[in-house]
Amino acid sequence: MADNTILKLLVVDDEDQARRQIRKYIELDFNAVEIVEAANGAEALESADRWRPNVIVSDINMPVMDGLELLRRVKKMIPKTQIIICTGREDHDAPIMALRAGASDYIMKPLNMEELSLAILRAKKQWETEDFLEKNAERLEKLVEKRTARLSTINKKLRAERAIKKELESQYRQSLKMQAIGVLAGGIAHDFNNILSAIIGYTDLTMDKLKEGSRERDNLGEVMKAGRRAKALVKQILTFSRQDDQEKKPVELYLIVKETLKLLRASVPSTIKMKEDIDPDSGSVLADATQMSQVVMNLCANAEFAMREKGGELIVSLREVEVDDELAKNNPSLADRKLIKFSVADKGCGIDSATMERIFDPFFTTKKAGDGTGLGLAAVHGIVTSHGGAITVKSKPGAGSTFDIYLPKADEPAVDEIKKIFQAYKGNERILFVDDERPLVRLGMEALGQFGYDVVGETSSVEALNRFRRAPEKFDLVITDQTMPNIAGDELAREMIKIRSDIPVILCTGFSKTITPEKAKDIGIRDFILKPVLANELAVTVRKTLDLSAEKER
Ligand SMILES: Nc1ncnc2c1ncn2[C@@H]1O[C@H](COP(=O)(O)OP(=O)(O)OP(=O)(O)O)[C@@H](O)[C@H]1O
Ligand SMILES: [Mg+2]
């Protein structure tokens, strides 16, 4: 016999004699055989469960559990076990019932041993076939499972790669577009700058010649205001087209952020809560300080605008971070670098996907004329890119937006440039600030207040002179605008110096030739500041003037 498996035969009969007879015959007839006996169905079921025979030969009529019940239960438990039922000749229905219940064969009693042996051999073959199929099916199933898993990983990878490719393509397209617009706008902006200087300069000159309060003068005042706005715009254009002069030095970003936020705080309405999470040990970046401050300003201004109606939280954070995979994939130049992450998050209106596509485009704005020009984010993008950094945006319409800026950390420690501006230029002297334009007085007071000075503001030069006359020793310095009704700046300076010869006076002038540096010096004016006045410049000039005059006294 071409046996490749051992025959495990379970013989079930309530008569010992019958079992022994079968065992004897089969042991002789089969080479490899193991036989277990059971006296009834219940016993047999238990050994079948434990021992897993491949063939069972069972009598039908037995106490406790009969052969047919055993057959049904075994077939349910181990379907591939083959069962041969032995029936009496008088029991006509038994063979049919047995076959229906899944028996592989039946044999009439009294048993013919040769016939039984043949039936067992057939049953064993059948078991082998079923066993083979079962094992193969299992193997196949496992194989399919493995292949499916591999396919799905490959699929996932492909999808991820496709997404990265798409992202890179869109980044590339965006950068080409920005470059083209940058070159175009930059070229125009330079010309505009010159043209605007002439417009502003000549307007200023002509205004000086016109009578205070006259219609003509007021009209020119409007021209002047528009001209200044245009100049500020041109500056933004030059920034995003990266043609602005950049001065990159290692600077501690946290100082710039902190100082810029201080300036911003004054203009943020009380419905918006400002929260800071700024790590002073986050390190330095190689950067242009003014431009960094512009990035902070622009992002916070957008966040503030987004929450103007409903209020909310403006959260600014700064910390050192490691490059994560996603960022490195999209910005290979940042890989393996230590980064500083600056984030501005708001709980404002959010940005829908159609708007998101265009937010960095120059001149793209969803704000009505007068509220926005659409240059803020273009400038931020230009600045961040020219500093070798990256910018990402997350937003949910209705829930708010987060702008993350990543800048490579500088290897060198920061020079004290910023600290110098913000700390070395501090003071506690008393300053009289005179300008007929109230917003400018407020600006001057705020800016100098930041640096610690005690500032008294005046919008009327007559009032200012009276105040000074009452207590000339109370002031350490006077800053005055030149162009004012009633008493002009140079005249005011002259009067004050008459009262107290050592009072330092700084004159703020526009593009004007009515007062030359020589003439100013004659009067005793210590220094000039050209309008528009910048906070930092003001602080530097004030400190310089005060220090010089203290030296003179010694
Ligand atoms: N934090 C934000 N929340 C919601 N929308 C924003 C936010 N930041 C930018 N946007 C959208 O992006 C557009 C472009 O912003 P960008 O700063 O470039 O220009 P702007 O704010 O409209 O004008 P500008 O900054 O020149 O005054 C905005 O008009 C606005 O629709
Ligand atoms: Mg903006």
Side-chain angles (χ1 to χ4, degrees):
M1 246 179 276
D3 274 339
N4 42 21
T5 30
I6 193 167
L7 168 64
K8 290 169 83 177
L9 180 68
L10 177 61
V11 181
V12 194
D13 203 308
D14 52 340
E15 283 174 41
D16 293 358
Q17 180 67 32
R19 295 198 307 262
R20 227 171 292 138
Q21 196 193 356
I22 294 174
R23 174 191 281 274
K24 231 165 138 191
Y25 192 90
I26 298 300
E27 272 176 350
L28 277 175
D29 216 17
F30 283 77
N31 289 331
V33 58
E34 267 176 36
I35 297 176
V36 167
E37 293 173 31
N40 60 52
E43 235 178 61
L45 193 65
E46 202 198 287
S47 15
D49 188 21
R50 212 174 349 100
W51 185 58
R52 306 267 146 177
N54 28 35
V55 182
I56 298 175
V57 173
S58 175
D59 188 20
I60 284 198
N61 296 319
M62 289 177 296
V64 188
M65 187 193 289
D66 70 6
L68 284 176
E69 183 60 22
L70 171 69
L71 168 66
R72 273 183 217 110
R73 296 223 191 164
V74 170
K75 273 293 169 194
K76 218 187 242 166
M77 191 166 73
I78 335 166
K80 68 180 172 189
T81 298
Q82 304 299 310
I83 302 172
I84 300 163
I85 295 290
C86 308
T87 74
R89 264 174 225 285
E90 67 288 354
D91 197 354
H92 298 296
D93 294 338
I96 295 166
M97 276 162 67
L99 289 176
R100 269 200 195 136
S104 51
D105 213 341
Y106 68 91
I107 306 243
M108 294 294 179
K109 277 178 161 178
L111 296 175
N112 172 334
M113 281 304 158
E114 232 169 90
E115 195 187 342
L116 177 66
S117 177
L118 213 68
I120 290 177
L121 182 63
R122 269 202 308 268
K124 180 172 171 275
K125 292 266 175 234
Q126 182 60 29
W127 181 89
E128 277 162 11
T129 311
E130 281 182 28
D131 184 57
F132 173 80
L133 285 176
E134 188 186 277
K135 283 201 177 118
N136 260 329
E138 262 170 38
R139 251 190 30 221
L140 255 167
E141 233 166 67
K142 271 194 196 130
L143 208 74
V144 169
E145 234 170 61
K146 239 162 89 186
R147 289 266 159 90
T148 315
R150 243 180 54 207
L151 265 174
S152 101
T153 346
I154 292 174
N155 237 333
K156 248 191 232 151
K157 244 182 163 166
L158 268 174
R159 236 176 291 141
E161 271 167 22
R162 217 176 296 147
I164 292 171
K165 207 171 140 215
K166 224 170 124 189
E167 170 65 27
L168 284 177
E169 266 171 16
S170 103
Q171 269 183 24
Y172 180 63
R173 245 181 291 128
Q174 174 75 8
S175 82
L176 277 186
K177 193 161 73 181
M178 297 283 281
Q179 242 174 27
I181 299 177
V183 169
L184 188 76
I188 299 172
H190 269 301
D191 288 343
F192 263 35
N193 215 14
N194 295 336
I195 297 168
L196 282 168
S197 293
I199 293 177
I200 292 173
Y202 285 107
T203 306
D204 201 11
L205 268 178
T206 314
M207 271 174 83
D208 275 356
K209 299 262 184 303
L210 294 172
K211 231 176 65 213
E212 205 60 57
S214 69
R215 177 114 176 247
E216 289 78 5
R217 193 179 162 130
D218 287 350
N219 288 349
L220 281 187
E222 292 303 313
V223 174
M224 194 74 177
K225 260 195 237 157
R228 289 220 183 95
R229 267 215 308 276
K231 256 205 125 119
L233 254 173
V234 166
K235 175 133 187 67
Q236 294 260 48
I237 296 175
L238 284 173
T239 312
F240 86 74
S241 62
R242 294 186 226 158
Q243 300 186 23
D244 210 9
D245 297 332
Q246 264 188 357
E247 214 190 327
K248 286 190 190 161
K249 285 187 188 141
V251 288
E252 285 193 69
L253 205 51
Y254 96 91
L255 283 173
I256 302 179
V257 174
K258 279 229 166 230
E259 290 306 322
T260 311
L261 288 181
K262 258 195 220 164
L263 293 176
L264 269 170
R265 200 163 273 133
S267 61
V268 169
S270 58
T271 48
I272 295 172
K273 263 207 202 92
M274 278 179 88
K275 284 193 173 167
E276 288 176 26
D277 178 13
I278 292 166
D279 179 4
D281 299 321
S282 47
S284 55
V285 287
L286 195 64
D288 181 307
T290 319
Q291 293 195 342
M292 285 298 126
S293 169
Q294 211 176 330
V295 168
V296 181
M297 284 270 191
N298 286 352
L299 291 181
C300 289
N302 284 348
E304 185 259 317
F305 193 93
M307 295 189 287
R308 202 169 273 185
E309 271 180 18
K310 295 199 177 134
E313 265 174 16
L314 197 169
I315 306 161
V316 178
S317 64
L318 183 80
R319 67 170 52 87
E320 188 191 320
V321 293
E322 302 282 332
V323 183
D324 65 43
D325 292 347
E326 171 115 4
L327 193 67
K329 246 185 244 158
N330 293 332
N331 305 275
S333 66
L334 291 181
D336 301 327
R337 296 219 44 176
K338 279 204 167 132
L339 301 180
I340 298 188
K341 177 182 179 185
F342 167 66
S343 306
V344 175
D346 65 63
K347 299 225 158 42
C349 56
I351 305 167
D352 61 39
S353 58
T355 307
M356 188 65 97
E357 298 260 306
R358 305 185 55 196
I359 54 172
F360 292 110
D361 288 0
F363 303 108
F364 172 77
T365 181
T366 56
K367 298 169 187 170
K368 63 177 197 294
D371 275 344
T373 53
L375 283 175
L377 286 179
V380 168
H381 191 274
I383 293 170
V384 171
T385 330
S386 72
H387 282 79
I391 178 165
T392 66
V393 192
K394 289 186 287 275
S395 186
K396 221 178 179 182
S401 320
T402 303
F403 284 76
D404 292 324
I405 306 274
Y406 298 89
L407 292 163
K409 230 179 129 165
D411 301 325
E412 322 140 61
V415 287
D416 274 353
E417 201 66 21
I418 303 300
K419 270 192 192 144
K420 243 191 251 159
I421 295 175
F422 290 117
Q423 283 169 18
Y425 293 127
K426 280 190 172 162
N428 52 14
E429 285 90 342
R430 196 130 200 250
I431 298 172
L432 180 58
F433 194 102
V434 194
D435 195 312
D436 60 326
E437 284 186 61
R438 189 171 296 280
L440 290 184
V441 173
R442 218 178 316 130
L443 193 85
M445 288 174 71
E446 240 157 50
L448 288 170
Q450 306 286 349
F451 288 91
Y453 295 102
D454 185 2
V455 190
V456 175
E458 270 296 353
T459 48
S460 143
S461 47
V462 178
E463 274 307 306
L465 187 57
N466 286 339
R467 193 190 269 273
F468 186 76
R469 187 171 284 133
R470 281 200 299 275
E473 295 306 326
K474 257 175 83 177
F475 296 101
D476 301 300
L477 179 87
V478 177
I479 301 170
T480 174
D481 184 27
Q482 167 62 9
T483 323
M484 289 182 296
N486 303 318
I487 311 176
D490 53 347
E491 195 52 38
L492 182 66
R494 206 197 306 271
E495 290 302 317
M496 287 177 166
I497 291 167
K498 255 193 226 161
I499 299 167
R500 206 189 115 187
S501 64
D502 65 336
I503 182 78
V505 180
I506 295 173
L507 193 68
C508 300
T509 69
F511 185 87
S512 162
K513 291 201 185 93
T514 51
I515 173 131
T516 59
E518 293 76 43
K519 192 174 157 202
K521 224 172 161 188
D522 280 351
I523 300 171
I525 289 168
R526 303 284 172 90
D527 214 334
F528 277 107
I529 294 178
L530 276 183
K531 284 179 131 185
V533 179
L534 299 172
N536 293 349
E537 195 186 326
L538 189 61
V540 173
T541 314
V542 164
R543 193 63 259 160
K544 206 175 75 194
T545 310
L546 282 168
D547 289 349
L548 274 175
S549 91
E551 239 166 64
K552 256 191 202 164
E553 264 172 37
R554 264 190 267 132

